[in-house]
Amino acid sequence: MAEDKGKKDSIRMSQKGCQTNNGFVQNEDTPELEPEPSSSVSITGAGEPDAQRVRPYAGMPKEVLFQFSGQARYRVPREILFWLTIVVVLLLIAATVAIIAISPKCLDWWQAGPMYQIYPRSFKDSDEDGNGDLKGIQDKLDYIAALNIKTIWITSFYKSSLKDFRYGIEDFREIDPIFGTMEDFENLLAAIHDKGLKLIIDFIPNHTSDKHPWFEMSRTRTGKYTDYYIWRDCAHENGVTVPPNNWLSVYGNSSWRFDEVRKQCYYHQFLPEQPDLNFRNADVHEEVKEIIQFWLAKGVDGFSFDAVKFLLEAKDLRDEIQVNKSQNPDTVTQYSELYHDFTTTQVGTHDIVRSFRQTMDRYSREPGRYRFMGTEAYAESTARTMMYYGLPFVQEADFPFNNFFTTLHALSGNLVHEVILSWMANMPEGKWPNWMLGGPDSTRLASRFGDQYVNIMNMLLFTLPGTPVTYYGEELGMQDILAPNINERYDTSTLLSKSPMQWDNSSNAGFSEGNHTWLPTSSDYHTVNVHVQKTQPTSALKLYQDLSLLHANELLISRGWFCLLSSDSHSVAYTRELDGIDTVFLVVLNFGDPTLLNLQEMNLGLPPKLRVRLGTSPASARREVDSGGVALERGEGLILEYSAKRLLHQQAAFSDKCFISSRACYSSALDILYSVC
């Protein structure tokens, strides 16, 4: 009874005078107001409120709340909201899964922007000794970042006698004093990462210096090092060596050298001071693996493995076949006079390269820290070069570096077309292309073709699919220097493209404040330098920056289809397009005499007028051109823009001319890329 009475009192107190109960009484001394007769609440049953007369109010006890919560007008909306929330959550989960499932793989850092190759001895001297160094590179990182570079590639800087100025390594774990210290390297690497850039370095596993500790122990037959190199018995009398076979060095003459200590001949593909390692020895494999791990642990983002085609030689030492079989064998001394079927790309070479990849993959598991692997196998055929991509399920290099443009010594639309098509048509499906225009061992662009072709070749580089690779100074149009007077026993022409970087028109082109430089600067450094070109709106440097920005900001170029349309002795034309975007870039490049190009003859469905997005010359600043007659000067290129209802790669007539590496489609409604097109 007391409990029933308490319930009735609770209901009665909450409805006094139909006034709102605020739940709490601020002053207990406040006199309680008597309810008006008309506002009294009738009690029915066992103290249950009359649901028709009682309204919900703040501070209701749970007993009253339960009376209302069960009513349909409160229960149904609540249940609707509950199930609606469940449905929305499930839809969001499903949408997230669907977006992930249909989204294409994001471009990795080595795909997303250009690489910039630096020959460290020639980039910037920080200590006035006339040699470029690691601190000098660090001092110029702001310049590199201003080029919109994503990856810095530094060629060999290991402790070395510098024979061939790249390859004679005495210690793979030490920095050559010319370039600085290990602390300098670590500071440079940290500074590169602080700017959001990546660093890859050269690694030459094929050979060492003859002053390397391994070779010193091998020639004395010390323990496991006895067979670290390739030794064979050979006749040696009165200072004359009769080699084991007719194999030749890349630099000419026999690739065998007699060693007075071991009384045997050792094999060297390059200079006698660069003996080849024996990669058929498991201990050599392990040593090289540990070197790779050493630099990965330092934090480098990848390697360019150089001279990989020379890693193995035929076991039986068979003589190689002469190109000219009628030539007297005793007069065969030049490398080009033999077919190198037994000294390059032997069975097992790709197993070694895959082992390098597996070692690097163990350091790629951390998100955002993928380690890049490139290979250099120059002078290989296109088919053999493609083998370094690996197999569909067994990866080797992310890409073998494509140096085929560096082998051209003349330009025409047909030649450029041939180089592009040979790579794109032979590249394995789903692999990523790359393009190089120069390098430490190649003649510079401006010296090969003339400075009028610098801009058009850089436009070609940035509008082709894949990763552009720029050798330092090519963004300015630097030229080779005249042959320096250096007393070495190899082809000094390889030094001509390694002249000091031209920063300004001060002494030594701003490369060094010392009294001399290790190589002379080019005679044109007063006008061809960074400081001058930064202030010229039509300079090669300014165009390079514009092209790199376009490459970074336009999905058509970074992810789109590439359709190689036409070529002749003068010009080449191709498009870049992407599903979901009706804008198309049409690139036309003229390498020959001035011409009037009728683009309507290509049957592309072009409008009468085309917008000029970017051009190589001041005359290209015109906003529109007539598609029926585009006037192009020698060395002039245009990136034209138009809208198309149907893209070329969707048309049967062009299907065999269009290529894509990583397919993606764009949704303008959602502003996302997806792969199910």
Side-chain angles (χ1 to χ4, degrees):
M1 292 296 294
E3 183 179 352
D4 292 343
K5 184 177 184 301
K7 292 180 180 179
K8 295 174 183 178
D9 289 345
S10 175
I11 297 172
R12 184 179 297 110
M13 290 173 65
S14 67
Q15 295 294 318
K16 293 175 183 178
C18 295
Q19 297 183 23
T20 301
N21 182 352
N22 292 318
F24 294 95
V25 178
Q26 299 297 329
N27 188 347
E28 294 183 356
D29 296 332
T30 303
E32 186 176 339
L33 298 175
E34 293 295 333
E36 297 179 6
S38 60
S39 64
S40 62
V41 179
S42 62
I43 307 299
T44 61
E48 299 296 333
D50 183 354
Q52 299 297 323
R53 301 183 59 186
V54 179
R55 297 181 179 179
Y57 56 89
M60 287 184 296
K62 64 180 181 179
E63 295 85 356
V64 179
L65 179 62
F66 288 155
Q67 297 301 317
F68 292 103
S69 65
Q71 296 178 19
R73 58 176 173 170
Y74 297 111
R75 186 186 70 254
V76 173
R78 186 172 64 249
E79 291 179 353
I80 291 174
L81 287 174
F82 172 78
W83 289 111
L84 186 61
T85 301
I86 295 297
V87 170
V88 170
V89 170
L90 292 176
L91 286 175
L92 288 174
I93 293 173
T96 302
V97 172
I99 289 175
I100 293 173
I102 67 173
S103 294
K105 183 180 181 297
C106 294
L107 296 184
D108 220 322
W109 55 265
W110 51 273
Q111 299 169 307
M115 294 183 175
Y116 191 76
Q117 187 183 23
I118 294 174
Y119 189 75
R121 198 176 183 185
S122 298
F123 196 63
K124 184 68 173 74
D125 172 23
S126 69
D127 57 6
E128 302 181 15
D129 67 349
N131 295 290
D133 47 49
L134 299 179
K135 284 185 177 179
I137 297 174
Q138 185 173 345
D139 291 342
K140 293 299 183 179
L141 288 182
D142 286 339
Y143 167 75
I144 296 173
L147 298 177
N148 302 298
I149 299 297
K150 298 298 182 185
T151 304
I152 297 174
W153 170 12
I154 302 179
T155 62
S156 180
F157 50 74
Y158 308 102
K159 186 178 180 182
S160 168
S161 60
L162 287 181
K163 292 290 180 185
D164 192 36
F165 291 84
R166 282 182 87 190
Y167 300 119
I169 311 303
E170 296 176 13
D171 191 337
F172 286 101
R173 292 180 174 87
E174 289 292 334
I175 307 295
D176 193 282
I178 283 181
F179 303 122
T181 64
M182 184 60 74
E183 183 181 2
D184 293 335
F185 174 81
E186 291 168 350
N187 291 338
L188 171 61
L189 179 59
I192 287 173
H193 287 164
D194 285 346
K195 290 190 175 296
L197 306 178
K198 301 290 185 178
L199 174 67
I200 64 173
I201 60 176
D202 263 3
F203 183 50
I204 307 96
N206 179 70
H207 52 262
T208 70
S209 166
D210 60 351
K211 294 181 174 58
H212 196 289
W214 298 346
F215 188 77
E216 297 288 350
M217 289 185 283
S218 185
R219 66 199 304 227
T220 57
R221 304 177 189 264
T222 302
K224 68 176 184 178
Y225 299 100
T226 299
D227 294 323
Y228 264 40
Y229 297 83
I230 301 167
W231 297 94
R232 292 292 186 274
D233 292 330
C234 59
H236 183 76
E237 296 181 1
N238 301 322
V240 178
T241 300
V242 179
N245 57 25
N246 72 341
W247 293 355
L248 297 176
S249 161
V250 170
Y251 295 112
N253 297 315
S254 176
S255 57
W256 297 94
R257 168 64 68 92
F258 183 77
D259 181 67
E260 293 288 351
V261 175
R262 182 155 167 158
K263 303 302 181 182
Q264 281 186 308
C265 284
Y266 65 85
Y267 178 67
H268 59 89
Q269 289 261 26
F270 296 90
L271 296 174
E273 294 85 359
Q274 298 167 317
D276 276 40
L277 286 166
N278 178 16
F279 268 90
R280 299 191 187 278
N281 184 330
D283 290 331
V284 172
H285 270 273
E286 190 61 27
E287 293 275 14
V288 171
K289 173 183 173 181
E290 290 176 1
I291 294 169
I292 295 171
Q293 291 174 328
F294 173 82
W295 291 103
L296 292 176
K298 287 285 184 184
V300 300
D301 300 292
F303 288 97
S304 165
F305 288 95
D306 208 345
V308 289
K309 72 175 184 178
F310 299 109
L311 290 175
L312 290 176
E313 299 76 30
K315 294 180 181 179
D316 54 14
L317 305 187
R318 285 178 290 176
D319 279 354
E320 294 192 309
I321 300 172
Q322 295 179 197
V323 174
N324 180 3
K325 294 181 181 180
S326 63
Q327 184 177 355
N328 182 349
D330 293 335
T331 65
V332 176
T333 59
Q334 297 303 308
Y335 190 73
S336 60
E337 294 173 344
L338 293 178
Y339 292 112
H340 303 286
D341 296 326
F342 305 133
T343 55
T344 61
T345 320
Q346 298 299 290
V347 174
T349 297
H350 289 276
D351 294 330
I352 297 172
V353 176
R354 283 192 287 271
S355 72
F356 296 162
R357 173 80 269 172
Q358 291 164 4
T359 299
M360 296 182 67
D361 282 345
R362 288 196 284 273
Y363 286 81
S364 297
R365 294 167 184 167
E366 183 182 346
R369 290 307 309 274
Y370 181 82
R371 307 305 175 96
F372 167 83
M373 177 175 165
T375 57
E376 295 182 73
Y378 298 159
E380 288 276 41
S381 66
T382 303
R384 282 192 170 188
T385 300
M386 294 300 158
M387 294 173 65
Y388 290 98
Y389 275 113
L391 302 173
F393 300 103
V394 183
Q395 185 181 8
E396 293 184 26
D398 290 297
F399 53 65
F401 284 101
N402 176 3
N403 75 319
F404 286 97
F405 277 126
T406 69
T407 64
L408 295 181
H409 293 282
L411 284 176
S412 72
N414 290 331
L415 285 174
V416 171
H417 182 280
E418 181 181 344
V419 171
I420 297 171
L421 186 61
S422 67
W423 191 275
M424 297 303 296
N426 289 284
M427 186 176 66
E429 183 178 357
K431 298 301 183 180
W432 191 257
N434 72 100
W435 312 91
M436 304 174 65
L437 300 179
D441 300 320
S442 303
T443 305
R444 286 191 175 275
L445 271 177
S447 296
R448 267 187 293 156
F449 308 129
D451 54 12
Q452 72 267 38
Y453 289 105
V454 170
N455 286 342
I456 194 174
M457 292 302 289
N458 279 328
M459 178 170 283
L460 173 69
L461 179 72
F462 276 98
T463 53
L464 290 175
T467 300
V469 183
T470 294
Y471 182 53
Y472 82 96
E474 299 289 23
E475 71 276 18
L476 304 174
M478 283 177 55
Q479 297 190 14
D480 285 359
I481 56 173
L482 299 177
N485 183 20
I486 294 181
N487 185 24
E488 293 289 350
R489 297 195 310 276
Y490 59 92
D491 186 3
T492 57
S493 66
T494 60
L495 300 178
L496 305 184
S497 62
K498 299 172 183 174
S499 61
M501 177 68 172
Q502 295 164 199
W503 295 105
D504 55 42
N505 54 15
S506 65
S507 176
N508 298 325
F511 163 73
S512 174
E513 296 181 4
N515 295 325
H516 69 283
T517 58
W518 81 280
L519 283 179
T521 55
S522 179
S523 59
D524 65 356
Y525 80 87
H526 290 285
T527 55
V528 181
N529 65 67
V530 173
H531 180 73
V532 168
Q533 293 198 10
K534 281 169 61 176
T535 63
Q536 296 175 339
T538 59
S539 66
L541 177 60
K542 180 62 169 59
L543 178 66
Y544 185 95
Q545 291 174 312
D546 291 342
L547 287 167
S548 62
L549 273 176
L550 189 72
H551 184 275
N553 296 330
E554 288 291 348
L555 287 172
L556 299 179
I557 293 179
S558 62
R559 299 296 299 253
W561 284 83
F562 169 78
C563 296
L564 189 56
L565 301 178
S566 68
S567 67
D568 55 29
S569 59
H570 297 293
S571 62
V572 66
Y574 51 88
T575 61
R576 303 303 311 276
E577 57 189 41
L578 183 68
D579 291 285
I581 299 178
D582 60 4
T583 298
V584 176
F585 286 154
L586 173 58
V587 183
V588 289
L589 307 172
N590 181 40
F591 302 99
D593 295 331
T595 185
L596 188 66
L597 194 61
N598 186 354
L599 300 178
Q600 291 290 354
E601 293 178 349
M602 299 181 187
N603 297 318
L604 306 179
L606 297 176
K609 297 291 184 180
L610 302 174
R611 298 180 297 276
V612 177
R613 183 63 181 268
L614 201 58
T616 59
S617 70
S620 304
R622 53 189 183 274
R623 295 185 178 181
E624 286 188 339
V625 295
D626 186 347
S627 59
V630 180
L632 293 173
E633 297 296 323
R634 178 187 293 273
E636 183 177 2
L638 294 174
I639 301 176
L640 305 173
E641 185 178 8
Y642 68 96
S643 296
K645 293 182 179 180
R646 191 180 179 197
L647 302 179
L648 295 183
H649 74 271
Q650 299 169 346
Q651 303 178 34
F654 297 97
S655 59
D656 61 337
K657 299 180 179 180
C658 296
F659 307 89
I660 194 165
S661 297
S662 179
R663 186 167 186 177
C665 312
Y666 178 71
S667 170
S668 56
L670 299 176
D671 192 26
I672 62 169
L673 287 172
Y674 60 98
S675 58
V676 183
C677 301

